[in-house]
Amino acid sequence: MEQAEELRIAALVEQLGLPADEAQLRRIAEYLALLQRWNKTYNLTALRDPAQMFTHHLADCLAALPPLQRALAARPAQQLTLLDVGSGGGLPGVLIAILCPQLQVSCVDTVGKKAAFIRQAGAELGLRNLRAEHARVEQLPSRYDIITSRAFATLADFVALTGDRLAPDGLWMAMKGKQPDDEISVLPSDVDVFHVEPLQVPGLDAERCLIWMRPRR
């Protein structure tokens, strides 16, 4: 069963054009198994069906990785940090930590059991570049080069809550469904939406996009 799951994940990763070695594919499969197991007790996600978790969580999050990796390639010499806000069960933060080992990834959530799960997943998967914070994002002391979220809040609330956590020259990467034109229209004037990137999620018949933003200079 585990080998079959790894083959499904390998096919998904190949379809998305993501570079991944065997160790990374194995970690993704182990993470998905951990998420399914813990979810039975700790209610990390509302989805219970493994097939739905594969498409609506795993594939949905992995579809954002190629654009993120292109953004990282523009700054290859830097040790960059990423914050996943409202990370829940580690989506997409844990997957980013697996596939972008050059990034220092922090996941923050206000629910203690979700932060505890991410810490456990990081330990079991040997992800030294992954941290989990049980806190409100406003309480964090650090600044981050990239701040991401997935179905966390409106764009206006997202940038308002995380603006003080964004490093100089930092970027916001918001994962959204249908292009949120109404949300974009009410963003403050000092926020620059410089790219809206449509995403194709294998096996998911729904609109997805990334909203890339930065402070307006």
Side-chain angles (χ1 to χ4, degrees):
M1 184 66 179
E2 288 183 8
Q3 187 175 11
E5 191 74 345
E6 281 189 42
L7 289 173
R8 284 185 73 205
I9 291 168
L12 172 63
V13 164
E14 183 177 3
Q15 191 172 353
L16 290 168
L18 275 167
D21 58 29
E22 288 186 12
Q24 289 170 319
L25 294 174
R26 186 171 61 251
R27 280 174 165 155
I28 294 171
E30 290 172 354
Y31 165 65
L32 189 58
L34 276 173
L35 184 64
Q36 290 168 348
R37 188 161 71 245
W38 275 59
N39 199 42
K40 294 174 183 176
T41 304
Y42 292 98
N43 194 32
L44 301 172
T45 168
L47 292 181
R48 301 284 180 179
D49 178 61
Q52 281 196 319
M53 292 180 79
F54 190 92
T55 54
H56 289 68
H57 284 329
L58 186 65
D60 193 44
C61 288
L62 289 178
L65 266 290
L68 173 60
Q69 290 182 336
R70 288 195 296 271
L72 297 177
R75 296 193 254 184
Q78 300 178 37
Q79 178 65 67
L80 299 177
T81 56
L82 178 142
L83 178 66
D84 178 19
V85 182
S87 190
L91 297 158
V94 174
L95 295 170
I96 291 172
I98 292 172
L99 289 170
C100 302
Q102 73 274 36
L103 265 180
Q104 292 297 315
V105 178
S106 295
C107 297
V108 61
D109 203 282
T110 57
V111 180
K113 63 186 177 183
K114 294 180 178 179
F117 167 71
I118 295 168
R119 288 192 195 101
Q120 183 66 26
E124 291 197 28
L125 300 177
L127 297 174
R128 296 183 180 180
N129 62 328
L130 177 67
R131 293 186 57 182
E133 305 281 358
H134 173 213
R136 296 181 65 84
V137 65
E138 309 96 296
Q139 299 169 332
L140 298 178
S142 303
R143 288 177 175 262
Y144 302 86
D145 299 295
I146 299 171
I147 301 180
T148 191
S149 70
R150 177 175 179 253
F152 167 68
T154 66
L155 293 176
D157 287 344
F158 175 46
V159 299
L161 287 168
T162 61
D164 289 341
R165 304 278 65 81
L166 194 67
D169 297 322
L171 303 175
W172 286 289
M173 185 186 83
M175 299 175 65
K176 288 285 185 178
K178 186 177 180 181
Q179 181 170 320
D181 293 325
D182 290 347
E183 292 183 30
I184 291 172
S185 68
V186 296
L187 281 167
S189 59
D190 59 354
V191 174
D192 175 26
V193 178
F194 66 92
H195 187 37
V196 177
E197 187 157 1
L199 299 177
Q200 295 295 323
V201 181
L204 188 62
D205 185 21
E207 291 184 59
R208 294 289 187 268
C209 68
L210 287 181
I211 311 298
W212 290 96
M213 301 172 288
R214 60 191 167 204
R216 195 178 298 278
R217 296 177 180 85

